[in-house]
Amino acid sequence: MGSGKTATGKNLAELLGYSFLDLDERIQQKNGRTINEIFQNDGEVSFRDQEQKSLEETAFADKQIVATGGGTVLRAGNISLMKKTGKIIFLETSLDVLWERVKHKKDRPLLKGDDPFENLKKIFTDREAIYRNTADLIVNTDGLTAEAAAQKVLKKLKWWRRSK
């Protein structure tokens, strides 16, 4: 949340001449509701089910960059599918930078509550190891624009492909 998955993904897709898909946007379009509304009315489990279904419907497309939600990796089946159909890139971002990027956003259901920073910190702490262990590539985005982050990802992808 706040790492720049959508903005960086769009830029990377443009650099590669690929299509771009944001899973959250797809889920919102299919439902005619925002992520907040889905969380509020149906709960997180329902959202994660829809997220998994959308990933399954789109994962096998060629030449596509997919921005998943930050919680997509919470289901082992999603990780397996992403590994089978592409590369997982972790846009590593420090907690302070994430907070600066999301602290004024009202569309982050997991930050709702009395202490949004503590909610973000808990999510960060709970998920960081999963992201690291799941990722094929890790790219730090602190201090980078989405364009610069996409360039950095592209450079690492080219290096990674040569080293395999």
Side-chain angles (χ1 to χ4, degrees), residues 137-162:
L137 294 172
I138 299 173
V139 176
N140 188 287
T141 67
D142 285 358
L144 298 180
T145 63
E147 295 83 4
Q151 288 284 352
K152 192 172 179 180
V153 169
L154 183 59
K155 185 176 179 182
K156 278 199 162 198
L157 275 173
K158 287 179 179 178
W159 174 87
W160 186 79
R161 285 181 181 155
R162 284 193 305 267

Side-chain angles (χ1 to χ4, degrees), residues 87-104:
K87 301 294 172 242
I88 300 174
I89 301 166
F90 169 31
L91 298 180
E92 176 187 45
T93 312
S94 68
L95 181 59
D96 290 337
V97 171
L98 291 173
W99 179 243
E100 282 304 311
R101 292 179 183 172
V102 302
K103 67 182 178 183
H104 298 296

Side-chain angles (χ1 to χ4, degrees), residues 46-65:
S46 175
F47 172 76
R48 297 291 172 212
D49 290 344
Q50 293 177 56
E51 183 177 57
Q52 182 174 345
K53 185 172 192 250
S54 289
L55 183 63
E56 290 168 352
E57 292 169 349
T58 60
F60 290 92
D62 287 333
K63 296 186 176 187
Q64 173 180 252
I65 303 295

Side-chain angles (χ1 to χ4, degrees), residues 74 119-131:
L74 298 177
N119 293 351
L120 179 63
K121 185 177 175 183
K122 180 171 179 6
I123 292 166
F124 181 86
T125 303
D126 291 349
R127 295 181 183 176
E128 185 179 21
I130 298 169
Y131 295 152

